[in-house]
Amino acid sequence: MNEKMISVAVIRRLPKYHRYLSELMDEGVDRISSSNLSKIIGFSASQIRQDLNNFGGFGQQGYGYNVKALHTEIANILGLNRHYKTVIVGAGNIGKALAKYSSFKRFNFDLMGIFDNDSKKIGNVINGVEVMEDDLLSDYIKKHNIDIAFLCTNKTSAQKTADILCDSGIKGIWNFTPVDLDLKEGVVAENIHLIENLFTLTYFLNQESK
Amino acid sequence: MNEKMISVAVIRRLPKYHRYLSELMDEGVDRISSSNLSKIIGFSASQIRQDLNNFGGFGQQGYGYNVKALHTEIANILGLNRHYKTVIVGAGNIGKALAKYSSFKRFNFDLMGIFDNDSKKIGNVINGVEVMEDDLLSDYIKKHNIDIAFLCTNKTSAQKTADILCDSGIKGIWNFTPVDLDLKEGVVAENIHLIENLFTLTYFLNQESK
DNA sequence: TAGATTGTTAATCGATTAACAATC
DNA sequence: TAGATTGTTAATCGATTAACAATC
C-alpha cells in the first residue's frame, strides 16, 4: 500500500501548507525559502524541510521552493486534483450550513444529495439540492458512486447511519456527530467534534486567568 | 501560573474522557478500571492512568475509578463548573447553525448576542437572540463581560474582528474562519478549520484505494 | 488475607530540532 | 565562483508504553 508510512502529524500540517502557499500565490510571490515560510506559517524551517522531503525533493539548493509548483505538489498529495461526490446526511442546522457553504464546491466537492428522516423536510431544496428521504440513501450512494458523506445526524442515529454508509460502499465519512464511529475496514473518517474543541478552549481560558 | 505544565496532548483527550464518563453514568455504571475504560475509549490503560495522574490521584488501588466522581473532576478541570457568556460574530451559515445548536446551552454557554455587518440581517431573531450591528460589538462585550466569541465572519474580516474582540476584553475566541489569528497576550483561541480537516480526509481516502 | 488495580518510575518509541555536507 | 539554501543524518526532546511496588 505504501513505501514508508508518513506520520499523521505530518499529514495534518499539509492543508496548512496548501493554504499559505495559495496566499503567497495570490500575493504574486513565486519563490520562498523554508526559513521565510517558517516566519509566516509558524513551523520551524527544519520541520518544513523534513515534512516536504517525506514526499520528494521539491526544493532547490540555494533557491528555495517554487511556490506554484509546491502548491500543486501538495494539492496532489492531498488528493485535490480530482472531484469528490458528496452527500449530506441530516438536514439539521449543521447539515444545512454545510450545504450552503460555498468553499466545498470551489475545491471540487460536488454535493449530490441531502438526506433526512424528517418527512417535513423531504422535498425542500437547499442550495439547489433536494432533501430526500433516508430510505433512499443506500441506493443513492451505490448508484451515484458517492465518495464522501457529511454525517450530521443526531447522536442516536450516528452509528447506524454510518453502518448503512459503509455497507453502501462509501469511501469516507466526515463526522460532525459527537460519536466515535466504528467503521468497516477501508472506510476512513475525520471528526469535527465541536463540543470537545470548545471544552479545550474553556480549559485554556481558565488557565490564563490563573 | 501553574505548578507543572501539562501537555496539550493530554488536555485534548480530556473532553473525550468527559464524554465517555457521561455515557457510563447514563448506563448506570458507577465504577470503572483503567483497563475497562481503555476498551471503550481506545486509549491504553497506561495512558489513561498517566493522564489522570497529571491532575491528582482520582482512583483507588484494587477498585478503579468512581465514574461520577471522575466525571466531576474532569468537568472541573475543563472549567465546565461555570457559565460562559458568548456572542456569535457573523450571522452567515455557520453562525446561524451555531446559534441554533442546543448543546451549548446545556453546557452553560449562554448566547448573549449575534453580530453582523450586513444591514439586511440586523434585527433578525435567531433562536431568540437578536442580530445586532457590528459597530455595537465592542461596547457590548465590555458592558456584558462576554467571555467567548464564536468567530464566523468571512476570511477578510477575521483578523480585524479578532483585534476588536481582543481590545474589548474577550477571554477566548472560537475560530471558524480559515485564518490563523494573531491575538493579544492572554486571549486564547481554538480553531475549527473545516477545510483543513476535509483535506486530511481526502488524503487518507486516497491512501486507502492504493 | 488474596486479588485487583492504581500511582509512578523506567524504558521505549516517535517526532522535532540542530547541524552540516551537498549542490544549485 | 561565492552565497544561499536544500536534503538528510544525528541529537534532542517529549510522549507513550511497560513494569511493578504500593495499597485498597
Side-chain angles (χ1 to χ4, degrees):
Chain A
M1 188 177 111
N2 39 27
E3 310 79 43
K4 207 182 294 171
M5 201 60 173
I6 293 160
S7 87
V8 179
V10 173
I11 303 307
R12 291 193 187 284
R13 281 192 292 270
L14 294 180
K16 192 159 284 192
Y17 288 115
H18 186 263
R19 172 158 58 89
Y20 277 90
L21 289 165
S22 288
E23 279 168 20
L24 287 168
M25 281 166 67
D26 290 346
E27 291 161 15
V29 177
D30 51 32
R31 67 152 154 153
I32 192 153
S33 66
S34 58
S35 134
N36 283 332
L37 185 54
S38 170
K39 278 169 203 148
I40 60 173
I41 205 172
F43 308 149
S44 76
S46 193
Q47 181 165 69
I48 291 169
R49 294 200 300 279
Q50 287 274 24
D51 282 354
L52 299 178
N53 265 83
N54 280 296
F55 305 97
F58 301 141
Q60 195 175 66
Q61 282 99 329
Y63 172 91
Y65 299 86
N66 179 287
V67 172
K68 198 148 183 274
L70 185 57
H71 182 263
T72 303
E73 291 285 2
I74 291 175
N76 291 346
I77 293 164
L78 287 170
L80 304 181
N81 51 350
R82 51 163 288 200
H83 280 250
Y84 294 91
K85 292 188 193 171
T86 68
V87 294
I88 292 174
V89 191
N93 305 319
I94 295 177
K96 268 187 279 186
L98 294 175
K100 291 176 190 165
Y101 198 59
S102 58
S103 292
F104 302 136
K105 185 157 227 164
R106 188 159 57 85
F107 288 111
N108 296 328
F109 292 86
D110 305 325
L111 179 60
M112 306 288 287
I114 305 172
F115 294 84
D116 202 285
N117 61 4
D118 179 355
S119 60
K120 289 192 295 290
K121 290 178 182 163
I122 313 299
N124 286 358
V125 175
I126 305 173
N127 202 16
V129 180
E130 199 186 335
V131 180
M132 292 171 273
E133 55 184 314
D134 250 3
D135 295 350
L136 307 173
L137 177 61
S138 181
D139 285 343
Y140 195 91
I141 289 171
K142 288 177 197 159
K143 183 174 172 197
H144 294 274
N145 246 291
I146 302 299
D147 298 293
I148 302 173
F150 298 180
L151 187 64
C152 307
T153 66
N154 58 31
K155 192 178 160 143
T156 331
S157 318
Q159 182 60 56
K160 66 173 179 277
T161 307
D163 292 340
I164 293 167
L165 292 167
C166 289
D167 288 342
S168 311
I170 203 84
K171 316 283 190 329
I173 297 180
W174 200 17
N175 176 31
F176 286 80
T177 72
V179 172
D180 298 313
L181 300 170
D182 197 7
L183 302 174
K184 199 168 77 176
E185 175 83 33
V187 178
V188 297
E190 282 293 314
N191 302 305
I192 298 283
H193 285 328
L194 290 175
I195 285 285
E196 293 188 14
N197 195 254
L198 182 57
F199 289 177
T200 307
L201 179 62
T202 57
Y203 173 84
F204 288 117
L205 189 155
N206 288 287
Q207 287 309 105
E208 276 303 319
S209 55
K210 271 186 193 154
Chain B
M1 186 179 114
N2 39 24
E3 310 79 43
K4 207 181 295 174
M5 203 57 175
I6 293 160
S7 88
V8 179
V10 173
I11 303 308
R12 292 196 186 282
R13 281 191 293 269
L14 293 180
K16 193 158 282 193
Y17 288 116
H18 185 262
R19 172 157 59 89
Y20 277 90
L21 289 165
S22 288
E23 278 167 22
L24 287 169
M25 281 165 68
D26 289 347
E27 291 162 16
V29 177
D30 51 32
R31 68 154 152 149
I32 193 152
S33 65
S34 58
S35 135
N36 283 332
L37 184 54
S38 170
K39 278 168 203 149
I40 60 173
I41 205 171
F43 308 148
S44 76
S46 192
Q47 180 166 68
I48 291 170
R49 294 201 300 280
Q50 286 274 25
D51 282 353
L52 299 178
N53 265 81
N54 280 296
F55 304 97
F58 301 141
Q60 196 175 64
Q61 281 98 331
Y63 172 90
Y65 299 86
N66 178 289
V67 172
K68 199 148 183 272
L70 185 57
H71 181 263
T72 304
E73 291 285 0
I74 291 175
N76 291 346
I77 293 164
L78 288 170
L80 304 180
N81 51 350
R82 51 164 289 202
H83 280 250
Y84 294 91
K85 291 187 192 171
T86 69
V87 294
I88 291 173
V89 191
N93 305 320
I94 295 177
K96 268 186 279 186
L98 294 175
K100 291 176 190 163
Y101 198 56
S102 59
S103 293
F104 302 136
K105 185 158 227 164
R106 187 159 58 84
F107 288 112
N108 296 328
F109 292 85
D110 305 325
L111 179 60
M112 306 289 286
I114 303 171
F115 294 85
D116 203 286
N117 60 4
D118 180 353
S119 59
K120 288 193 293 292
K121 289 177 183 164
I122 313 299
N124 287 359
V125 175
I126 306 172
N127 202 16
V129 180
E130 201 187 333
V131 180
M132 292 172 273
E133 54 183 314
D134 249 4
D135 297 349
L136 306 173
L137 178 60
S138 180
D139 285 345
Y140 195 90
I141 289 170
K142 289 177 195 159
K143 185 174 171 196
H144 295 274
N145 247 290
I146 302 299
D147 297 292
I148 301 172
F150 297 0
L151 187 65
C152 308
T153 66
N154 58 31
K155 192 177 159 142
T156 331
S157 317
Q159 182 60 56
K160 64 173 182 276
T161 307
D163 292 339
I164 293 168
L165 292 167
C166 288
D167 288 342
S168 311
I170 203 84
K171 316 285 191 326
I173 296 179
W174 200 16
N175 178 31
F176 286 80
T177 73
V179 172
D180 297 313
L181 301 171
D182 196 9
L183 301 174
K184 200 169 76 177
E185 173 86 34
V187 178
V188 296
E190 281 294 315
N191 302 306
I192 298 283
H193 285 328
L194 290 177
I195 285 284
E196 294 189 12
N197 195 254
L198 182 58
F199 288 177
T200 307
L201 179 62
T202 57
Y203 173 85
F204 288 117
L205 188 154
N206 288 290
Q207 287 309 106
E208 276 305 318
S209 54
K210 270 186 195 158

Short mmCIF file of all heavy atoms in Angstrom, two decimals, chain A residues 7 9 13 44 46-47 49-50 60-62, chain C residues 14-24:
data_model
loop_
_atom_site.label_atom_id
_atom_site.label_comp_id
_atom_site.label_asym_id
_atom_site.label_seq_id
_atom_site.Cartn_x
_atom_site.Cartn_y
_atom_site.Cartn_z
N SER A 7 3.83 9.98 9.04
CA SER A 7 3.08 10.16 10.29
C SER A 7 1.89 11.10 10.12
O SER A 7 1.91 12.03 9.32
CB SER A 7 4.00 10.68 11.39
OG SER A 7 4.07 12.07 11.35
N ALA A 9 0.91 13.35 12.04
CA ALA A 9 1.26 14.73 12.37
C ALA A 9 1.67 15.50 11.12
O ALA A 9 1.28 16.66 10.93
CB ALA A 9 2.39 14.75 13.41
N ARG A 13 -0.45 18.70 8.84
CA ARG A 13 0.12 20.02 8.53
C ARG A 13 -0.02 20.37 7.04
O ARG A 13 0.04 21.55 6.68
CB ARG A 13 1.61 20.05 8.94
CG ARG A 13 1.82 20.27 10.43
CD ARG A 13 3.28 20.60 10.74
NE ARG A 13 4.18 19.49 10.52
CZ ARG A 13 4.50 18.57 11.45
NH1 ARG A 13 4.00 18.67 12.67
NH2 ARG A 13 5.33 17.59 11.17
N SER A 44 8.85 25.34 12.25
CA SER A 44 10.29 25.61 12.12
C SER A 44 10.75 25.28 10.69
O SER A 44 10.17 24.41 10.03
CB SER A 44 11.09 24.80 13.12
OG SER A 44 11.17 23.46 12.71
N SER A 46 13.31 23.77 9.78
CA SER A 46 13.75 22.39 9.77
C SER A 46 12.56 21.44 9.58
O SER A 46 12.63 20.49 8.79
CB SER A 46 14.46 22.10 11.09
OG SER A 46 15.15 20.90 11.02
N GLN A 47 11.51 21.72 10.30
CA GLN A 47 10.32 20.88 10.19
C GLN A 47 9.72 20.96 8.78
O GLN A 47 9.30 19.94 8.22
CB GLN A 47 9.27 21.32 11.21
CG GLN A 47 8.02 20.47 11.17
CD GLN A 47 7.17 20.68 12.39
OE1 GLN A 47 6.60 21.73 12.59
NE2 GLN A 47 7.11 19.67 13.23
N ARG A 49 11.28 21.51 5.98
CA ARG A 49 12.09 20.73 5.04
C ARG A 49 11.89 19.23 5.26
O ARG A 49 11.79 18.45 4.31
CB ARG A 49 13.57 21.10 5.16
CG ARG A 49 13.85 22.54 4.72
CD ARG A 49 15.31 22.77 4.38
NE ARG A 49 16.22 22.52 5.49
CZ ARG A 49 16.47 23.39 6.47
NH1 ARG A 49 15.90 24.58 6.48
NH2 ARG A 49 17.30 23.07 7.44
N GLN A 50 11.82 18.84 6.55
CA GLN A 50 11.56 17.43 6.85
C GLN A 50 10.21 16.98 6.31
O GLN A 50 10.10 15.93 5.69
CB GLN A 50 11.54 17.21 8.38
CG GLN A 50 12.91 17.26 9.02
CD GLN A 50 13.60 15.91 8.98
OE1 GLN A 50 13.29 15.07 8.14
NE2 GLN A 50 14.53 15.70 9.89
N GLN A 60 15.14 23.45 -4.21
CA GLN A 60 16.38 23.53 -4.96
C GLN A 60 17.39 24.28 -4.09
O GLN A 60 17.09 25.38 -3.61
CB GLN A 60 16.13 24.31 -6.25
CG GLN A 60 17.21 24.15 -7.27
CD GLN A 60 16.84 24.84 -8.57
OE1 GLN A 60 16.73 26.06 -8.61
NE2 GLN A 60 16.64 24.06 -9.63
N GLN A 61 18.56 23.67 -3.89
CA GLN A 61 19.55 24.32 -3.04
C GLN A 61 19.90 25.71 -3.54
O GLN A 61 20.00 25.93 -4.75
CB GLN A 61 20.84 23.48 -2.98
CG GLN A 61 20.75 22.28 -2.06
CD GLN A 61 20.46 21.01 -2.81
OE1 GLN A 61 19.79 21.05 -3.85
NE2 GLN A 61 20.96 19.90 -2.30
N GLY A 62 20.03 26.61 -2.63
CA GLY A 62 20.40 27.97 -2.98
C GLY A 62 19.26 28.83 -3.49
O GLY A 62 19.40 30.05 -3.65
P DG C 14 7.25 3.83 17.04
OP1 DG C 14 5.98 3.29 16.54
OP2 DG C 14 8.56 3.45 16.45
"O5'" DG C 14 7.15 5.42 17.01
"C5'" DG C 14 6.17 6.09 17.78
"C4'" DG C 14 6.45 7.56 17.69
"O4'" DG C 14 7.60 7.91 18.50
"C3'" DG C 14 6.77 8.06 16.28
"O3'" DG C 14 6.15 9.32 16.18
"C2'" DG C 14 8.29 8.19 16.30
"C1'" DG C 14 8.45 8.73 17.72
N9 DG C 14 9.78 8.67 18.30
C8 DG C 14 10.73 7.69 18.20
N7 DG C 14 11.82 7.98 18.88
C5 DG C 14 11.57 9.22 19.43
C6 DG C 14 12.38 10.04 20.27
O6 DG C 14 13.51 9.83 20.69
N1 DG C 14 11.73 11.22 20.61
C2 DG C 14 10.46 11.57 20.21
N2 DG C 14 10.00 12.74 20.64
N3 DG C 14 9.70 10.81 19.44
C4 DG C 14 10.32 9.66 19.08
P DA C 15 5.78 9.97 14.76
OP1 DA C 15 4.51 9.42 14.29
OP2 DA C 15 6.97 9.88 13.92
"O5'" DA C 15 5.55 11.51 15.15
"C5'" DA C 15 5.44 11.92 16.50
"C4'" DA C 15 6.30 13.13 16.75
"O4'" DA C 15 7.62 12.74 17.19
"C3'" DA C 15 6.50 14.03 15.53
"O3'" DA C 15 6.39 15.36 15.98
"C2'" DA C 15 7.93 13.69 15.09
"C1'" DA C 15 8.58 13.47 16.45
N9 DA C 15 9.81 12.68 16.45
C8 DA C 15 10.06 11.51 15.78
N7 DA C 15 11.26 11.03 15.99
C5 DA C 15 11.84 11.95 16.85
C6 DA C 15 13.11 12.02 17.45
N6 DA C 15 14.06 11.11 17.29
N1 DA C 15 13.36 13.08 18.26
C2 DA C 15 12.40 13.99 18.44
N3 DA C 15 11.17 14.03 17.94
C4 DA C 15 10.95 12.97 17.14
P DT C 16 6.25 16.61 15.00
OP1 DT C 16 4.95 17.23 15.28
OP2 DT C 16 6.64 16.19 13.64
"O5'" DT C 16 7.38 17.59 15.54
"C5'" DT C 16 7.56 17.77 16.93
"C4'" DT C 16 8.96 18.28 17.17
"O4'" DT C 16 9.92 17.21 16.97
"C3'" DT C 16 9.38 19.42 16.25
"O3'" DT C 16 9.78 20.50 17.09
"C2'" DT C 16 10.54 18.82 15.42
"C1'" DT C 16 11.07 17.75 16.36
N1 DT C 16 11.80 16.60 15.73
C2 DT C 16 13.07 16.30 16.18
O2 DT C 16 13.65 16.95 17.05
N3 DT C 16 13.66 15.21 15.58
C4 DT C 16 13.10 14.41 14.60
O4 DT C 16 13.74 13.46 14.16
C5 DT C 16 11.77 14.77 14.18
C7 DT C 16 11.09 13.95 13.13
C6 DT C 16 11.18 15.84 14.76
P DT C 17 10.31 21.89 16.53
OP1 DT C 17 9.89 22.93 17.48
OP2 DT C 17 9.99 21.97 15.10
"O5'" DT C 17 11.89 21.71 16.67
"C5'" DT C 17 12.43 21.36 17.94
"C4'" DT C 17 13.92 21.23 17.80
"O4'" DT C 17 14.24 20.03 17.06
"C3'" DT C 17 14.59 22.39 17.07
"O3'" DT C 17 15.66 22.82 17.88
"C2'" DT C 17 15.03 21.78 15.73
"C1'" DT C 17 15.24 20.32 16.12
N1 DT C 17 15.07 19.29 15.06
C2 DT C 17 16.04 18.31 14.94
O2 DT C 17 17.04 18.28 15.64
N3 DT C 17 15.80 17.37 13.96
C4 DT C 17 14.71 17.31 13.12
O4 DT C 17 14.61 16.41 12.29
C5 DT C 17 13.73 18.36 13.29
C7 DT C 17 12.51 18.37 12.42
C6 DT C 17 13.95 19.28 14.25
P DA C 18 16.62 24.02 17.48
OP1 DA C 18 16.91 24.78 18.70
OP2 DA C 18 16.05 24.68 16.28
"O5'" DA C 18 17.94 23.24 17.04
"C5'" DA C 18 18.38 22.16 17.85
"C4'" DA C 18 19.70 21.64 17.31
"O4'" DA C 18 19.43 20.65 16.27
"C3'" DA C 18 20.59 22.69 16.67
"O3'" DA C 18 21.93 22.34 17.03
"C2'" DA C 18 20.32 22.53 15.17
"C1'" DA C 18 20.07 21.04 15.07
N9 DA C 18 19.18 20.57 14.01
C8 DA C 18 17.98 21.11 13.62
N7 DA C 18 17.39 20.44 12.66
C5 DA C 18 18.26 19.39 12.40
C6 DA C 18 18.20 18.32 11.48
N6 DA C 18 17.20 18.13 10.64
N1 DA C 18 19.24 17.45 11.48
C2 DA C 18 20.24 17.64 12.34
N3 DA C 18 20.40 18.60 13.26
C4 DA C 18 19.36 19.46 13.22
P DA C 19 23.16 23.21 16.58
OP1 DA C 19 24.14 23.16 17.69
OP2 DA C 19 22.69 24.50 16.02
"O5'" DA C 19 23.74 22.33 15.38
"C5'" DA C 19 24.01 20.96 15.59
"C4'" DA C 19 24.60 20.37 14.33
"O4'" DA C 19 23.53 20.07 13.39
"C3'" DA C 19 25.54 21.32 13.59
"O3'" DA C 19 26.64 20.56 13.10
"C2'" DA C 19 24.70 21.87 12.45
"C1'" DA C 19 23.81 20.67 12.15
N9 DA C 19 22.54 20.97 11.51
C8 DA C 19 21.73 22.06 11.69
N7 DA C 19 20.62 22.02 10.97
C5 DA C 19 20.71 20.82 10.28
C6 DA C 19 19.86 20.20 9.36
N6 DA C 19 18.69 20.71 8.95
N1 DA C 19 20.24 19.00 8.85
C2 DA C 19 21.41 18.48 9.27
N3 DA C 19 22.30 18.98 10.13
C4 DA C 19 21.88 20.17 10.60
P DC C 20 27.99 21.27 12.69
OP1 DC C 20 29.02 20.65 13.55
OP2 DC C 20 27.83 22.74 12.62
"O5'" DC C 20 28.19 20.73 11.21
"C5'" DC C 20 27.90 19.36 10.88
"C4'" DC C 20 27.61 19.27 9.39
"O4'" DC C 20 26.22 19.58 9.14
"C3'" DC C 20 28.41 20.28 8.54
"O3'" DC C 20 28.82 19.63 7.34
"C2'" DC C 20 27.38 21.34 8.22
"C1'" DC C 20 26.17 20.42 8.02
N1 DC C 20 24.86 21.09 7.96
C2 DC C 20 23.82 20.47 7.24
O2 DC C 20 24.04 19.36 6.72
N3 DC C 20 22.62 21.08 7.14
C4 DC C 20 22.44 22.28 7.73
N4 DC C 20 21.23 22.84 7.59
C5 DC C 20 23.47 22.93 8.46
C6 DC C 20 24.65 22.31 8.55
P DA C 21 30.34 19.60 6.90
OP1 DA C 21 31.14 19.29 8.11
OP2 DA C 21 30.58 20.83 6.12
"O5'" DA C 21 30.39 18.36 5.92
"C5'" DA C 21 29.60 17.17 6.17
"C4'" DA C 21 28.79 16.81 4.94
"O4'" DA C 21 27.62 17.66 4.87
"C3'" DA C 21 29.55 17.03 3.63
"O3'" DA C 21 29.14 16.00 2.72
"C2'" DA C 21 29.08 18.40 3.18
"C1'" DA C 21 27.63 18.38 3.64
N9 DA C 21 27.05 19.70 3.92
C8 DA C 21 27.63 20.76 4.56
N7 DA C 21 26.83 21.80 4.69
C5 DA C 21 25.65 21.39 4.09
C6 DA C 21 24.42 22.04 3.91
N6 DA C 21 24.16 23.27 4.32
N1 DA C 21 23.45 21.35 3.27
C2 DA C 21 23.71 20.10 2.85
N3 DA C 21 24.82 19.39 2.98
C4 DA C 21 25.76 20.10 3.62
P DA C 22 29.51 15.98 1.18
OP1 DA C 22 29.70 14.57 0.78
OP2 DA C 22 30.58 16.98 0.98
"O5'" DA C 22 28.18 16.50 0.48
"C5'" DA C 22 27.03 15.67 0.42
"C4'" DA C 22 26.00 16.32 -0.48
"O4'" DA C 22 25.67 17.62 0.06
"C3'" DA C 22 26.49 16.57 -1.91
"O3'" DA C 22 25.43 16.19 -2.79
"C2'" DA C 22 26.79 18.06 -1.95
"C1'" DA C 22 25.77 18.61 -0.94
N9 DA C 22 26.16 19.84 -0.27
C8 DA C 22 27.37 20.12 0.32
N7 DA C 22 27.42 21.32 0.88
C5 DA C 22 26.15 21.85 0.64
C6 DA C 22 25.56 23.08 0.98
N6 DA C 22 26.19 24.04 1.66
N1 DA C 22 24.29 23.29 0.59
C2 DA C 22 23.65 22.31 -0.07
N3 DA C 22 24.09 21.12 -0.45
C4 DA C 22 25.37 20.95 -0.05
P DT C 23 25.55 16.34 -4.35
OP1 DT C 23 24.58 15.40 -4.97
OP2 DT C 23 26.98 16.33 -4.72
"O5'" DT C 23 25.03 17.82 -4.59
"C5'" DT C 23 23.64 18.10 -4.59
"C4'" DT C 23 23.47 19.55 -4.96
"O4'" DT C 23 24.04 20.40 -3.94
"C3'" DT C 23 24.19 19.94 -6.27
"O3'" DT C 23 23.32 20.73 -7.05
"C2'" DT C 23 25.33 20.78 -5.79
"C1'" DT C 23 24.63 21.47 -4.61
N1 DT C 23 25.50 22.23 -3.70
C2 DT C 23 25.03 23.41 -3.19
O2 DT C 23 23.93 23.85 -3.44
N3 DT C 23 25.90 24.07 -2.36
C4 DT C 23 27.17 23.67 -2.01
O4 DT C 23 27.84 24.35 -1.26
C5 DT C 23 27.61 22.42 -2.57
C7 DT C 23 28.96 21.89 -2.25
C6 DT C 23 26.77 21.76 -3.38
P DC C 24 22.42 20.02 -8.21
OP1 DC C 24 21.59 18.98 -7.61
OP2 DC C 24 23.36 19.72 -9.32
"O5'" DC C 24 21.46 21.23 -8.67
"C5'" DC C 24 20.51 21.75 -7.73
"C4'" DC C 24 20.63 23.26 -7.66
"O4'" DC C 24 21.71 23.63 -6.80
"C3'" DC C 24 20.92 23.91 -9.00
"O3'" DC C 24 19.73 24.54 -9.47
"C2'" DC C 24 22.03 24.93 -8.72
"C1'" DC C 24 22.18 24.90 -7.20
N1 DC C 24 23.59 25.02 -6.72
C2 DC C 24 23.91 26.07 -5.83
O2 DC C 24 23.04 26.87 -5.48
N3 DC C 24 25.19 26.17 -5.37
C4 DC C 24 26.10 25.29 -5.77
N4 DC C 24 27.34 25.43 -5.29
C5 DC C 24 25.80 24.23 -6.67
C6 DC C 24 24.54 24.13 -7.13
#
